[in-house]
Amino acid sequence: MVFSKISWFIYFNEQSGVGISTTANSHLQFDIRYYETLRDIGINGDIKAMCVLPYFDKCILLGFKMF
């Protein structure tokens, strides 16, 4: 589980999804369906995510609806 703030968006790609970096120096990978929600949360917004270890390459966002 990751409890942090978004520090910046790394990339958006239709095949691999949305990559973000957090203030805890974690790089998280979300499915493309979370793009609008992550954009609405914005930089310095609080997120809670559950990710597959050890690479955090498949994450789901907790507490928000996906579009």
Side-chain angles (χ1 to χ4, degrees), residues 2-58:
V2 176
F3 299 94
S4 191
K5 293 183 181 271
I6 299 173
S7 62
W8 73 81
F9 287 90
I10 298 172
Y11 58 85
F12 166 75
N13 185 316
E14 290 182 10
Q15 293 175 340
S16 61
V18 181
I20 65 168
S21 183
T22 67
T23 54
N25 291 327
S26 298
H27 302 291
L28 310 178
Q29 182 70 35
F30 292 91
D31 192 57
I32 193 172
R33 62 186 170 200
Y34 291 108
Y35 175 70
E36 292 290 328
T37 304
L38 289 168
R39 194 179 73 180
D40 288 344
I41 294 169
I43 304 300
N44 292 322
D46 291 319
I47 62 165
K48 296 175 195 136
M50 190 178 329
C51 302
V52 175
L53 295 175
Y55 301 112
F56 299 96
D57 59 343
K58 295 175 182 89

